[in-house]
Amino acid sequence: MISKNVAVVEALNVKKTYMLGKVPVEALRGVNFRVNQGDFVSILGPSGSGKSTMLNLIGALDKPTSGTLFIDGVDIGRLNDNQLSDLRRRIGFVFQFFNLIPRLTARDNVELSMSIADMGKSERRKRALELLETVGLKERINHKPAELSGGQQQRVAIARALANNPKFLLLDEPTGNVDSKTASEVLALIQNLNKEHNVSIIMVTHDEKLARQAKRTVKMFDGEINSDVVN
Amino acid sequence: MKSIDVFGYSFNAIKLRKLRSALTTLGVIVGIAAIVALLSITQGLQTTITSELNQGLSANTLIVRPSSGNDIGGGFGQGISGTGFSLYSNYTTEINSLSPDIESSVAVMSRSGYIQTENLKQSATIYGIDFNQYAQVYPTFKAETGYIPTDPLENQAVVGTRINQPGQNGTIFFDAGNIINIAWVNATVLPPVDESYTAVVAGVLEKVGGFGSNGPSDTGVYIPIETAQSFFGTDQCDMIIVTLKDSDNATVTSVSKAITDHFSNQVSVTSPTAMIDMLSSVFDTLQLFLVGIAAISLLVAGIGIMNIMFVSLIERTREIGILKSLGMKSRSVLSIFLAESAIIGLIGAVAGIGLGYGLAAIVAQVISSGVFGGGGGALAITPLLTPTVIAGALAFGIGISVIFALYPAWRASKLKPVDALRYE
């Protein structure tokens, strides 16, 4: 059910080659792929399949070696450092290890991404509170990451990713570091965000069971896309 | 990112590493405190000395002495002339006629001697002067007790405040109206003889201060010049003080030249203004030298800051990766690091200024209380903290901190998010 919607991500023959010492490693060997507004796509693959490289490119953390990658309609290969930073503010990146700033409270962590985007103090305080309420952490706003469980940290990370009204959420192994009960809660939250709030979701994982929960699964192997199926 | 948020974030990072930040700041504090302490002491000293000199010397006067190769004219002339040339008291008339810019001139004789009463023998410099003229040249020649006779009897004398009260501690050995013996050792005859006469103290001068080198002195005994001529057995004087109608540089220069020319370069003419100027420049050099040494400690502090910033950079590589992945621009990362060191610099400078001034006050107290040299308040220094010094110390403290943080901050800003995030 590929809709004729606006594409939030579009990859055209994207290749990425790393230099591992003096040996070039082809992490992506020409990937074609499209994610539309409102989609919930999982990118599935074993380690070494190129999915982490894919994740970094979609997160605008890196540029392709060749090919064209449009994110929110912009060819990231043509962007400079500053423009890439601006683009990242429109991407809700949720890291595998949450990557919260340890010395900041849950609320300040959520506020941080808004303060980076130049939002005023009172506005971002209010929004941080709303977001933490949405992810069910209203009671934990003044706790630091070390005082939160893995699942709670994951939710703070999701709230932070949503703060700047991103074009899509990009999740890296969202359930990789939480127990199975929490994992299903987090998944329910993600599905709810997609269904109720029409947030586009791209989820990178090696967990086949989790991947099938998305609307669509893209399987990667050895730097190429093997299959792209609607679940 | 807004500047206020940059500073907020940086301040938060500093708070987390309290001990380390405190130690880094301490480096700046010590450097700034050293500079501020040295500056406020030397400036205070300079102000004290120049103001005392200004009191003792009138700006519109010239001092004429027999040339002895010592142009600065420090110390009291002893009537010894390097060239065999002698000044005589009656040269004042000649000098007066040299230039219309000359108001008047007064001859001064001086000898080392002592005074004696029943229970005090006190060394002193004995000056032979014309009381009226001298008082006109030097406003500080003013009696605190008694009076300065306008038409003095030959046995009348005026003394400085350290003559009748040597300790300056309230113990007064004699006062106006009392009788003292004035004495000097006449070494012009062999064997030297003690010569003395009995004088009546007409007045005691107000306190002048420690540096009245050519003007009235707290350790001076003043007698009429006619008495001095017969007492010292000569008409030679040691200096002639010339008062000018104007104290501007041109007048000072032209009259000085007229006088030296008239005496065929056998006299030296000193202007107090020139002397103060020279002293000031000596102080400026001294200050520069001392501050230069103190600045080295600030340089060391700067290197400390650089070191700590590099440690911070390594520790926070992952954090920088997170910030960049959230869309923070490189220049905001740079600002965060610079803001951190600017905050350290600011705190260090403020604390350093306080500490430095405190140190200066203690040192000044120690000097003034006469621990060194037993001057007993001869040199009362008030440490001087000028707005320039405060502004300079702030700018220097923050400046050094920021400059040394530039390179680590730049390195931080250039980190690639992908690499930084992978860093453990």
Side-chain angles (χ1 to χ4, degrees):
Chain A
M1 58 158 249
I2 293 171
S3 65
K4 294 293 169 197
N5 258 333
V6 187
V8 288
V9 175
E10 187 168 19
L12 301 170
N13 197 26
V14 167
K15 292 183 182 173
K16 181 74 187 177
T17 310
Y18 291 113
M19 294 303 287
L20 205 66
K22 281 181 181 170
V23 189
V25 177
E26 284 192 290
L28 294 178
R29 302 160 181 265
V31 170
N32 290 286
F33 159 80
R34 178 185 167 105
V35 179
N36 287 328
Q37 180 71 48
D39 258 0
F40 181 3
V41 182
S42 61
I43 298 174
L44 179 69
S47 62
S49 62
K51 66 180 188 326
S52 294
T53 307
M54 201 63 203
L55 179 88
N56 286 338
L57 290 177
I58 297 173
L61 299 178
D62 211 348
K63 291 183 189 179
T65 312
S66 71
T68 318
L69 177 63
F70 293 99
I71 291 172
D72 193 20
V74 195
D75 177 1
I76 69 161
R78 294 170 177 273
L79 299 184
N80 65 23
D81 202 34
N82 252 338
Q83 293 165 326
L84 276 176
S85 298
D86 281 331
L87 179 61
R88 282 180 210 132
R89 295 175 189 177
R90 306 203 294 270
I91 301 169
F93 209 130
V94 182
F95 298 92
Q96 181 178 4
F97 299 103
F98 322 129
N99 277 346
L100 300 173
I101 307 287
R103 64 170 182 278
L104 299 181
T105 62
R107 183 181 202 158
D108 288 341
N109 263 292
V110 178
E111 270 192 46
L112 180 61
S113 57
M114 290 183 271
S115 85
I116 287 173
D118 295 333
M119 196 188 282
K121 181 80 180 165
S122 56
E123 197 185 345
R124 61 177 198 246
R125 277 194 86 74
K126 194 166 142 258
R127 178 152 173 80
L129 197 63
E130 287 168 7
L131 287 164
L132 285 167
E133 213 173 326
T134 309
V135 298
L137 279 180
K138 200 187 171 188
E139 312 300 318
R140 300 299 229 182
I141 55 167
N142 289 321
H143 290 252
K144 291 186 176 169
E147 300 156 359
L148 297 171
S149 71
Q152 288 169 334
Q153 290 186 48
Q154 180 72 290
R155 286 189 235 179
V156 176
I158 291 171
R160 181 178 69 182
L162 290 170
N164 289 325
N165 287 315
K167 284 289 162 182
F168 57 92
L169 267 193
L170 181 61
L171 301 109
D172 184 12
E173 299 287 3
T175 58
N177 289 283
V178 292
D179 59 70
S180 56
K181 182 175 167 283
T182 314
S184 54
E185 280 173 21
V186 168
L187 183 66
L189 173 65
I190 297 168
Q191 283 172 326
N192 180 52
L193 285 171
N194 179 245
K195 228 175 274 170
E196 305 294 324
H197 298 87
N198 199 31
V199 177
S200 317
I201 312 268
I202 301 169
M203 182 168 80
V204 176
T205 182
H206 68 276
D207 180 350
E208 209 151 335
K209 215 174 110 219
L210 177 69
R212 274 200 299 272
Q213 302 296 316
K215 290 180 189 166
R216 197 177 124 204
T217 304
V218 174
K219 277 193 182 171
M220 289 191 71
F221 189 76
D222 213 10
E224 284 168 338
I225 291 179
N226 268 11
S227 69
D228 189 341
V229 291
V230 175
N231 291 311
Chain B
M1 203 169 176
K2 294 193 166 90
S3 316
I4 182 164
D5 293 327
V6 167
F7 272 96
Y9 191 86
S10 303
F11 194 66
N12 194 294
I14 290 175
K15 269 199 320 200
L16 187 78
R17 301 171 175 83
K18 281 194 193 71
L19 180 65
R20 191 199 293 173
S21 307
L23 289 174
T24 315
T25 314
L26 191 62
V28 181
I29 293 177
V30 170
I32 292 288
I35 291 176
V36 168
L38 286 169
L39 275 180
S40 47
I41 287 205
T42 46
Q43 289 197 351
L45 190 65
Q46 188 172 7
T47 312
T48 308
I49 291 178
T50 13
S51 82
E52 291 204 8
L53 273 177
N54 271 323
Q55 273 180 19
L57 304 168
S58 303
N60 62 337
T61 56
L62 294 176
I63 313 292
V64 182
R65 292 177 210 273
S67 182
S68 60
N70 181 6
D71 277 351
I72 313 169
F76 304 99
Q78 299 298 319
I80 299 157
S81 153
T83 55
F85 172 83
S86 300
L87 271 180
Y88 286 92
S89 308
N90 54 11
Y91 284 2
T92 49
T93 339
E94 274 175 57
I95 290 175
N96 284 344
S97 65
L98 286 177
S99 163
D101 288 326
I102 294 175
E103 177 88 48
S104 67
S105 51
V106 50
V108 177
M109 297 176 81
S110 63
R111 294 290 185 276
S112 290
Y114 58 92
I115 59 106
Q116 208 165 9
T117 66
E118 262 174 37
N119 41 20
L120 175 74
K121 186 177 176 183
Q122 168 72 20
S123 60
T125 309
I126 303 161
Y127 294 95
I129 47 162
D130 181 309
F131 283 6
N132 291 330
Q133 284 179 339
Y134 197 70
Q136 269 168 25
V137 178
Y138 295 111
T140 49
F141 192 65
K142 202 157 76 181
E144 178 158 24
T145 56
Y147 67 104
I148 291 172
T150 44
D151 187 14
L153 302 171
E154 62 177 20
N155 67 341
Q156 275 186 315
V158 172
V159 300
T161 178
R162 281 177 175 279
I163 297 296
N164 74 328
Q165 203 191 141
Q168 289 290 293
N169 52 8
T171 313
I172 297 169
F173 286 89
F174 61 89
D175 213 333
N178 290 92
I179 286 170
I180 56 170
N181 259 317
I182 297 177
W184 73 296
V185 181
N186 185 353
T188 58
V189 293
L190 279 174
V193 281
D194 272 28
E195 293 190 17
S196 70
Y197 78 101
T198 306
V200 179
V201 178
V204 178
L205 295 181
E206 284 180 358
K207 187 177 166 76
V208 179
F211 288 92
S213 96
N214 285 315
S217 154
D218 290 337
T219 56
V221 171
Y222 298 86
I223 60 176
I225 189 142
E226 298 80 10
T227 312
Q229 283 168 352
S230 63
F231 185 42
F232 298 143
T234 176
D235 283 348
Q236 282 182 28
C237 67
D238 300 286
M239 59 182 179
I240 291 173
I241 298 160
V242 179
T243 318
L244 304 176
K245 287 178 178 149
D246 212 329
S247 63
D248 66 85
N249 265 335
T251 316
V252 168
T253 316
S254 71
V255 176
S256 299
K257 193 173 179 323
I259 296 171
T260 30
D261 286 353
H262 178 75
F263 291 106
S264 328
N265 285 323
Q266 287 179 302
V267 293
S268 68
V269 180
T270 336
S271 119
T273 331
M275 197 170 135
I276 290 172
D277 283 353
M278 208 198 67
L279 199 73
S280 289
S281 84
V282 169
F283 264 104
D284 287 347
T285 314
L286 186 74
Q287 222 172 58
L288 202 68
F289 174 70
L290 290 174
V291 168
I293 291 175
I296 291 173
S297 63
L298 205 59
L299 196 72
V300 175
I303 295 167
I305 287 176
M306 195 163 179
N307 192 14
I308 234 61
M309 283 296 160
F310 270 119
V311 173
S312 178
L313 164 66
I314 290 164
E315 277 182 355
R316 288 159 72 188
T317 299
R318 197 181 172 84
E319 180 183 324
I320 294 161
I322 298 169
L323 293 174
K324 285 198 145 186
S325 74
L326 292 175
M328 186 179 277
K329 296 193 168 149
S330 297
R331 64 162 180 270
S332 297
V333 175
L334 187 84
S335 311
I336 281 176
F337 272 72
L338 291 185
E340 273 189 44
S341 63
I343 291 170
I344 287 176
L346 177 69
I347 295 173
V350 170
I353 291 168
L355 180 68
Y357 187 70
L359 279 177
I362 292 170
V363 171
Q365 192 66 45
V366 169
I367 293 178
S368 301
S369 71
V371 169
F372 301 117
L379 198 61
I381 307 170
T382 316
L384 199 66
L385 192 58
T386 60
T388 319
V389 171
I390 296 178
L394 280 176
F396 208 40
I398 297 172
I400 287 271
S401 309
V402 170
I403 285 168
F404 277 92
L406 270 177
Y407 183 57
W410 179 80
R411 285 269 298 265
S413 76
K414 286 294 155 204
L415 283 173
K416 282 193 160 59
V418 182
D419 302 331
L421 280 171
R422 210 180 287 138
Y423 191 88
E424 291 299 327

